[in-house]
Coordinates of all heavy atoms in Angstrom, one line a residue:
E412 N -5.1 19.7 -13.0 CA -6.2 19.1 -13.7 C -6.2 17.6 -13.6 O -5.1 17.0 -13.3 CB -6.2 19.5 -15.1 CG -6.4 21.0 -15.3 CD -6.6 21.4 -16.8 OE1 -6.3 20.6 -17.7 OE2 -6.9 22.6 -17.0
L433 N -8.1 19.7 -6.8 CA -8.1 19.6 -8.2 C -9.0 20.7 -8.9 O -10.0 21.0 -8.4 CB -8.6 18.2 -8.7 CG -7.7 17.1 -8.1 CD1 -8.4 15.7 -8.4 CD2 -6.3 17.1 -8.7
S434 N -8.5 21.2 -10.0 CA -9.3 22.3 -10.7 C -9.4 21.9 -12.2 O -9.0 20.9 -12.7 CB -8.5 23.6 -10.5 OG -7.2 23.5 -11.0
G435 N -10.0 22.8 -12.9 CA -10.2 22.6 -14.3 C -11.5 21.8 -14.6 O -12.3 21.5 -13.7
K436 N -11.6 21.3 -15.9 CA -12.8 20.6 -16.3 C -12.6 19.1 -16.1 O -11.5 18.6 -16.0 CB -13.0 20.9 -17.8 CG -13.4 22.3 -18.1 CD -13.7 22.5 -19.6 CE -14.1 24.0 -19.9 NZ -14.3 24.1 -21.3
I437 N -13.7 18.4 -16.0 CA -13.7 16.9 -16.0 C -13.4 16.5 -17.4 O -14.1 16.8 -18.3 CB -15.1 16.4 -15.5 CG1 -15.3 16.8 -14.1 CG2 -15.0 14.8 -15.5 CD1 -16.7 16.5 -13.6
P438 N -12.4 15.6 -17.6 CA -12.0 15.2 -18.9 C -13.1 14.4 -19.6 O -13.8 13.6 -18.9 CB -10.8 14.3 -18.7 CG -10.3 14.6 -17.3 CD -11.5 15.1 -16.5
E439 N -13.4 14.7 -20.8 CA -14.4 14.0 -21.6 C -14.1 12.5 -21.6 O -15.0 11.6 -21.8 CB -14.5 14.5 -23.0 CG -15.1 15.9 -23.1 CD -16.6 15.9 -22.9 OE1 -17.2 14.9 -23.0 OE2 -17.1 17.0 -22.7
L451 N -15.5 12.5 -7.3 CA -14.7 13.7 -7.6 C -15.1 14.9 -6.6 O -14.7 16.0 -6.8 CB -14.8 14.2 -9.0 CG -14.6 13.2 -10.1 CD1 -14.8 13.8 -11.5 CD2 -13.2 12.7 -10.0
N454 N -13.6 19.2 -4.5 CA -12.4 19.7 -5.1 C -12.7 21.2 -5.6 O -13.6 21.8 -5.0 CB -12.0 18.8 -6.3 CG -11.2 17.6 -5.9 OD1 -10.0 17.8 -5.6 ND2 -11.8 16.5 -5.8
Q455 N -12.0 21.6 -6.6 CA -12.3 23.0 -7.2 C -12.5 22.9 -8.7 O -12.1 23.7 -9.5 CB -11.1 23.9 -6.9 CG -10.9 24.1 -5.4 CD -9.5 24.7 -5.1 OE1 -8.8 25.2 -5.9 NE2 -9.1 24.5 -3.8
L456 N -13.2 21.8 -9.1 CA -13.5 21.6 -10.5 C -14.6 22.6 -11.0 O -15.4 23.1 -10.2 CB -14.0 20.1 -10.7 CG -13.0 19.1 -10.3 CD1 -13.7 17.7 -10.3 CD2 -11.8 19.1 -11.2
S457 N -14.5 22.8 -12.3 CA -15.4 23.8 -12.9 C -15.9 23.3 -14.3 O -15.3 22.3 -14.8 CB -14.8 25.2 -13.0 OG -13.6 25.1 -13.8
G458 N -16.8 24.0 -14.8 CA -17.3 23.7 -16.1 C -18.5 22.7 -16.1 O -19.0 22.3 -15.1
R459 N -18.8 22.1 -17.3 CA -19.9 21.2 -17.5 C -19.5 19.8 -17.2 O -18.4 19.3 -17.7 CB -20.5 21.4 -18.9 CG -21.8 20.7 -19.1 CD -22.3 21.0 -20.5 NE -23.6 20.3 -20.7 CZ -24.8 20.8 -20.3 NH1 -24.8 22.0 -19.7 NH2 -25.9 20.2 -20.6
I460 N -20.3 19.1 -16.5 CA -20.1 17.6 -16.3 C -20.5 17.0 -17.7 O -21.5 17.2 -18.2 CB -21.1 17.1 -15.2 CG1 -20.8 17.7 -13.9 CG2 -20.9 15.5 -15.1 CD1 -21.7 17.4 -12.8
P461 N -19.5 16.2 -18.2 CA -19.8 15.5 -19.5 C -21.1 14.8 -19.5 O -21.5 14.1 -18.6 CB -18.6 14.6 -19.7 CG -17.5 15.2 -18.9 CD -18.2 15.9 -17.7
D462 N -21.9 15.0 -20.6 CA -23.2 14.4 -20.7 C -23.3 12.9 -20.5 O -24.2 12.4 -19.9 CB -23.9 14.8 -22.1 CG -24.1 16.3 -22.2 OD1 -24.3 16.9 -21.2 OD2 -24.1 16.7 -23.4
V466 N -25.2 11.8 -14.0 CA -25.3 12.5 -12.7 C -26.2 11.7 -11.8 O -26.0 11.8 -10.5 CB -25.8 13.9 -12.9 CG1 -25.9 14.7 -11.6 CG2 -24.9 14.7 -13.9
F473 N -20.1 14.7 -7.3 CA -19.6 16.0 -7.7 C -19.9 17.1 -6.7 O -19.6 18.3 -7.0 CB -20.4 16.4 -9.0 CG -20.2 15.3 -10.1 CD1 -21.3 14.5 -10.4 CD2 -19.1 15.1 -10.8 CE1 -21.2 13.5 -11.4 CE2 -18.9 14.1 -11.7 CZ -20.0 13.3 -12.0
N476 N -18.1 21.0 -5.4 CA -17.4 21.7 -6.5 C -18.4 22.8 -7.1 O -19.1 22.5 -8.0 CB -17.1 20.7 -7.7 CG -16.0 19.7 -7.3 OD1 -14.8 20.0 -7.3 ND2 -16.4 18.5 -6.9
P477 N -18.4 23.9 -6.4 CA -19.4 25.0 -6.8 C -19.3 25.4 -8.3 O -20.3 25.8 -8.8 CB -19.0 26.1 -5.9 CG -18.2 25.6 -4.8 CD -17.5 24.4 -5.3
G478 N -18.2 25.2 -8.9 CA -18.1 25.6 -10.3 C -18.6 24.7 -11.3 O -18.6 24.9 -12.5
L479 N -19.0 23.5 -10.9 CA -19.5 22.5 -11.8 C -21.0 22.7 -12.1 O -21.8 23.1 -11.3 CB -19.4 21.1 -11.2 CG -18.0 20.4 -11.3 CD1 -18.0 19.0 -10.7 CD2 -17.5 20.3 -12.7
C480 N -21.4 22.4 -13.4 CA -22.8 22.4 -13.7 C -23.1 21.2 -14.6 O -22.2 20.7 -15.3 CB -23.2 23.7 -14.4 SG -22.2 24.0 -15.9
S481 N -24.4 20.8 -14.6 CA -24.8 19.7 -15.5 C -25.6 20.1 -16.6 O -26.1 21.3 -16.7 CB -25.5 18.6 -14.6 OG -26.6 19.2 -14.0

Side-chain angles (χ1 to χ4, degrees):
E412 297 187 349
L433 300 171
S434 58
K436 296 181 179 180
I437 298 174
E439 291 284 345
L451 306 179
N454 278 285
Q455 298 166 17
L456 299 170
S457 59
R459 188 175 183 84
I460 299 171
D462 292 335
V466 178
F473 308 108
N476 291 281
L479 281 179
C480 59
S481 57

